[in-house]
Amino acid sequence: MYLLLAGIGLLIWNFNRIGLVADMSWWWVLSPFALAVAWWTWADMTGYTKRKAMEKMDLKKQDRIDKQRAALGIRTRKR
């Protein structure tokens, strides 16, 4: 996501001819988009994205369980 935001920022700066980016080649300005595509491809192929989503869901599930146990007065185990 950061690469995408950097690419959009560089694109706007180059289009409006602002600062040092005004003299940069378009290849340098558009390179963050290519890097973002490479990152997303790698993350999807290796399962990184799915693994992070599952970890987030497991954490939410455990927090919900802990909250319900606390409401019942049952002590929760330390992780």
Side-chain angles (χ1 to χ4, degrees), residues 4-37:
L4 187 63
L5 294 175
I8 291 171
L10 287 174
L11 187 67
I12 290 170
W13 284 352
N14 194 315
F15 187 74
N16 291 324
R17 298 288 183 202
I18 298 172
L20 296 173
V21 181
D23 298 328
M24 284 180 133
S25 170
W26 277 101
W27 290 107
W28 287 109
V29 172
L30 298 176
S31 63
F33 294 111
L35 291 173
V37 169

Side-chain angles (χ1 to χ4, degrees), residues 7-72:
I8 291 171
L10 287 174
L11 187 67
I12 290 170
W13 284 352
N14 194 315
F15 187 74
N16 291 324
R17 298 288 183 202
I18 298 172
L20 296 173
V21 181
D23 298 328
M24 284 180 133
S25 170
W26 277 101
W27 290 107
W28 287 109
V29 172
L30 298 176
S31 63
F33 294 111
L35 291 173
V37 169
W39 165 256
W40 284 328
T41 303
W42 174 83
D44 287 341
M45 291 178 86
T46 60
Y48 179 79
T49 307
K50 185 80 132 171
R51 188 171 48 250
K52 286 296 180 182
M54 290 179 72
E55 287 174 3
K56 189 176 179 180
M57 283 192 315
D58 289 342
L59 185 61
K60 281 184 178 181
K61 179 182 174 183
Q62 189 61 44
D63 287 342
R64 198 170 50 244
I65 290 170
D66 292 344
K67 189 183 215 182
Q68 290 173 353
R69 284 184 177 171
L72 292 172

